[in-house]
Structure formats: C-alpha cells, structure tokens
Amino acid sequence: MESWANLDFHLDLSGPGGLRQRLTAALREAVRSARLPAGTRLPASRSLAADLGIARNTVADAYAELVAEGWLTARQGSGTVVAQRVAPPQPVTRAATGPAVRFDLQVSTPDVTEFPRAEWIRSTRRAVTAAPSEAFGPGDPQGRIELRTALAEYLARARGVRADPERIVVCSGFGGAVQMFNRLLRPPVVVEEYGLGFHRSFWKATVPLAVDDHGAHTEQLPDDLRACVLTPAHQFPLGGPLHPRRRAAAVEWARRVGGLVLEDDYDGEFRYDRQPVGAVQGLDPEHVVYLGTSSKALSPALRIAWMVLPDRFVDPILELKTDREQHVSMLDQLTLADFLESGAYDSHVRRMRLKYQRRRDQLVEAVSPYVSVSGIAAGMHAVLETPHEEEVVRTARERGIEVNPLSWFRHEKSDDDRSGIVVSFGAPAFPRALQGFVEALAACH
C-alpha cells in the first residue's frame, strides 16, 4: 500500500466556501483525477492539519464526508485509504486520420536502439568522479574546456579539422548554431538546391546553388553574396562528395569576397567505399566554419553540437550565445569528453559503420531489380532513382511505411526536376520494413 504520509502533495484550497468545504473539494478532485491513486494511505488528520496549518477537526470532518461518499475508506488500524472502487480517468485517444505508420524510413535519426548505454554510463561515472566542483555551477557559454580539448584532438585526427579549443564553441544542436549566424550574416545566404527544408528556414533569405554527383557547383557562387552553406563530405541528400576542384573553388570564393563557408559535416564519419573525405575547413580555417554534432554518431537526444570558428567570430558568437542560446548540459559535455578520450566514441563509430554498410548492401541488392541507387558511398540513406516518386510514396504509406520523396528536399526556387525516393537504411525500423518497402516499389514498376 502506498503512503502519502511522507510525500509532498499540493492541495489547492482556494475558491468559494468554507475551509472544510474547500479541503473536501480538493481531496475529492485529487482522487477523481488519480493524483491520489486507489490504495494510497492518507496521512493522519493531525499530521495533515499541521502541514496545512488548519484545525484537526476540519481535516477529520473532510475525511468523514469523503468516506461517506465512497471516495475514501477508513478502518481502525489501517488509517484512511483511497477507495479501490474509484476508477481513474481514461486517457483520451485521437482518431486516426489515415493509414497507420508502422515503419518510419524517413531521413531523420540514426539507429538509436544501438546507443552505447553501458559505455556511456561508465564515462558518466568517470566524468562525475573527476569533475571539479565548479563544473556543477552555471557553466561556460563556450562549453567545458574538457570537451573542447577532446573535440580538438578528435576532429584533427578523424576529420582533418584545424582546431584549437579556444576556437570551439559547444552549442545545443545544429539549429542553435545556425540561428546565431543568422544574426551575424547579411542575407541572402547561398544554400545547396537540395537539402533539409528546416535548414533553409533558419535563414531570412536563401539562394539555391546547383548540385550534381560531385556536390555543389561552387564555381557558380556569386560575388555579390558573402555566405554559403555546404555539405562537402556527403551532399545531402544526393550523396556525392564535393569534388576537390570545387572544394578549392569554395575557399577561393570566400577569400575573394571576404565571405564565409559554413560546412555542415553531419555524417562524415560514416564512409564505406574509401577513406573518409577530410573537412574543407582544413583548407582555410579563417574562412570556413566547421559544424559538427553528436546526433548521427550517437543520438539526437544529447543535443550537443560544436562549431570550429574563425578567430574573428569567436567573441561575437559568444555574445549571442550568452544572451539567447540555451547552454548544453555540463554533465553531458563532461561525459562526451570522457567518451572521446577513452576511445569509446571511435569504437562505437566503427561498429555502427559496419552495421550501416551491411544494411546499405541489403537495400541495394533488394531494390536493384527495379531502380538505380545513388548516394551510397557514405551516410545512412540512399537515393532510389525513379520517375514514379509520388506513386511509390503513396503505395508505401498504404503499407504503413513512410519514406521521403526526393522533391521534398528541393529548394522552392530550384528548377531541377529529378525524381526519386530517399530511404534511410540507418532507421531502427529498416530491417523489419525492407521487405514491405520492396513490395511497394515493385508494385509501381
């Protein structure tokens, strides 16, 4: 039997009527709404009266009235208990408005069922034990030095980033970083003509830049604009890495116009067919902002991202971050620092790289009789080239499978008309949904 005797519990005694009437109504509402579940033992009338600062007789009379009404039961030696016959309110359910989605293969998150819980807990334990007391204070808006130091070493080693802890700023997700730059950069901003719509929504105005199998056409960057956003390691969603000549062209453009390249390295660690493509930032740290996140490698729930900034942007970003941007959990920062330094991060990435590669191969083999597949040298999604984009999406949805049409990622000002389906083989549902999706695809071809 649960006891309320030693728990804090809110009773609202405001409203019309006398004190006993208001106490009775408050207790009745708490039982009716299941805030006091059936079987809960209430405190003695003397104790509750002392807690509320009212007369004991007022509480005793309220208990007696609720016993008489059947809300409570009272037996000598057992105290006053919420009656078992009182049914809690039933949850409200919304009526379905279309086919139920059983399997989500949209481009969104990694396979979060593979989150390395045991290793993360070990890192948390070590980090909390070693942390100085000041780490549990308000925190540094730039981010914990332990994490910035660990990131500088990892990014230099794994991604070819020229990083210094004093140039790294930790922020709460990619969106938080972009929103700060939205206040520093003069619009419009150049973005790739294919990309996530919510990325474009951060900017006051955007201009599309054409893309193909070799990434964005950076040789076409206009000299009258000063900022562009690129996904060089793995163009999203088409999948091609930015060609070396185009990488050089992006940096040359930024130098020539005094501009800035924002490099979104969202899944650069997951490359399968050759060595990972290094970051463009390594070519010119003063004209490229490197943006990374833990969302793809670990989990979007951590809400940890980082920026490696040109020196001239560090102070302006920190001024904005202090005022507007929510600080990342210090405990999560310390844990991620230990996770990186212990080698657990590398081990997890290697393990997931092999798992995603096996899934990619499964997908390619299963759909190859019907469509061509592209964008699969890296990442966690593939583009299936088909003229039946809308039909495939609709047929899959009828089978409870949600996928993205390629057109969903197209800039509203782009005149490109390619057609296809973007499928996440990193999604937790992929192994169970593959057969059903292939059947939907076959029905449309």
Side-chain angles (χ1 to χ4, degrees):
M1 179 184 296
E2 297 183 49
S3 174
W4 180 31
N6 297 312
L7 301 178
D8 287 334
F9 193 84
H10 173 70
L11 288 174
D12 185 0
L13 301 185
S14 62
L19 183 57
R20 182 185 62 78
Q21 182 181 357
R22 283 180 277 144
L23 175 60
T24 303
L27 287 168
R28 187 185 294 114
E29 183 278 332
V31 176
R32 181 187 290 117
S33 65
R35 291 171 59 223
L36 286 176
T40 301
R41 181 166 60 85
L42 274 61
S45 57
R46 186 189 305 277
S47 298
L48 183 57
D51 288 344
L52 298 177
I54 61 178
R56 178 186 178 188
N57 286 344
T58 301
V59 177
D61 290 345
Y63 279 5
E65 182 173 341
L66 292 171
V67 168
E69 293 177 0
W71 296 99
L72 306 177
T73 61
R75 290 192 299 271
Q76 189 168 2
S78 299
T80 304
V81 178
V82 177
Q84 290 288 344
R85 72 179 186 84
V86 178
Q90 296 300 310
V92 176
T93 57
R94 296 182 178 178
T97 57
V101 176
R102 294 181 295 123
F103 304 116
D104 189 351
L105 298 186
Q106 297 181 102
V107 177
S108 54
T109 64
D111 190 346
V112 294
T113 64
E114 297 287 344
F115 184 80
R117 304 183 191 210
E119 293 85 353
W120 188 260
I121 289 172
R122 283 194 285 270
S123 284
T124 300
R125 185 178 297 113
R126 287 193 298 264
V128 171
T129 301
S133 297
E134 52 89 13
F136 302 97
D140 184 347
Q142 188 167 357
R144 289 295 305 178
I145 184 60
E146 295 91 340
L147 177 55
R148 290 187 282 119
T149 301
L151 282 171
E153 187 278 329
Y154 173 78
L155 294 174
R157 170 172 54 81
R159 304 296 302 125
V161 174
R162 290 160 65 181
D164 182 285
E166 295 308 311
R167 291 194 180 198
I168 296 177
V169 174
V170 179
C171 50
S172 58
F174 177 85
V178 172
Q179 285 176 327
M180 285 183 281
F181 271 101
N182 191 18
R183 302 176 61 197
L184 293 176
L185 302 177
R186 187 179 68 193
V189 173
V190 180
V191 297
E192 295 165 331
E193 66 178 338
Y194 281 89
L196 283 173
F198 91 90
H199 282 181
R200 296 192 291 271
S201 70
F202 288 125
W203 306 104
K204 297 172 184 175
T206 59
V207 174
L209 182 64
V211 297
D212 60 19
D213 293 342
H214 299 293
H217 281 277
T218 54
E219 72 280 3
Q220 299 176 8
L221 283 166
D223 284 357
D224 59 337
L225 299 182
R226 297 292 181 270
C228 73
V229 183
L230 300 176
T231 53
H234 185 223
Q235 200 286 323
F236 184 87
L238 300 182
L242 190 61
H243 191 278
R245 283 197 300 271
R246 295 182 181 179
R247 295 161 74 91
V251 172
E252 290 169 4
W253 166 83
R255 291 170 179 166
R256 183 173 66 251
V257 304
L260 193 67
V261 174
L262 277 73
E263 178 179 11
D264 180 5
D265 193 31
Y266 67 100
D267 67 358
E269 293 146 319
F270 295 108
R271 190 153 203 93
Y272 312 116
D273 296 345
R274 55 181 180 272
Q275 289 297 314
V277 177
V280 171
Q281 187 267 2
L283 299 177
D284 191 338
E286 293 305 322
H287 289 93
V288 181
V289 173
Y290 178 88
L291 301 166
T293 174
S294 63
S295 292
K296 297 298 184 184
L298 288 172
S299 166
L302 293 177
R303 302 291 300 166
I304 301 179
W306 44 87
M307 299 179 278
V308 184
L309 300 168
D311 185 62
R312 68 186 186 279
F313 279 100
V314 175
D315 288 340
I317 285 291
L318 289 177
E319 289 177 10
L320 292 176
K321 192 173 190 293
T322 301
D323 293 339
R324 300 293 183 92
E325 212 254 352
Q326 183 178 2
H327 294 184
V328 180
S329 161
M330 291 299 128
L331 178 57
D332 287 343
Q333 290 189 56
L334 291 169
T335 301
L336 180 56
D338 181 272
F339 203 73
L340 285 161
E341 291 173 346
S342 68
Y345 189 93
D346 289 84
S347 296
H348 177 70
V349 167
R350 284 194 298 271
R351 182 171 65 84
M352 296 309 298
R353 188 185 295 137
L354 291 173
K355 180 179 286 290
Y356 291 146
Q357 183 172 2
R358 287 194 294 268
R359 290 186 179 185
R360 180 203 65 170
D361 295 344
Q362 281 182 283
L363 176 64
V364 172
E365 181 180 2
V367 304
S368 58
Y370 312 105
V371 295
S372 297
V373 185
S374 61
I376 57 173
M380 294 177 252
H381 70 270
V383 177
L384 313 187
E385 302 168 12
T386 172
H388 309 298
E389 178 183 287
E390 293 184 6
E391 186 181 354
V392 174
V393 172
R394 183 177 63 254
T395 304
R397 186 174 293 135
E398 289 170 355
R399 295 169 180 263
I401 302 168
E402 199 73 37
V403 293
N404 292 120
L406 181 59
S407 60
W408 191 81
F409 301 99
R410 188 182 303 136
H411 195 287
E412 59 273 12
K413 295 179 182 178
S414 170
D415 56 6
D416 188 275
D417 62 354
R418 71 189 77 188
S419 175
I421 304 296
V422 184
V423 178
S424 171
F425 53 80
F430 175 80
R432 293 172 293 140
L434 179 58
Q435 182 60 39
F437 173 71
V438 172
E439 292 171 359
L441 189 66
C444 301
H445 288 79

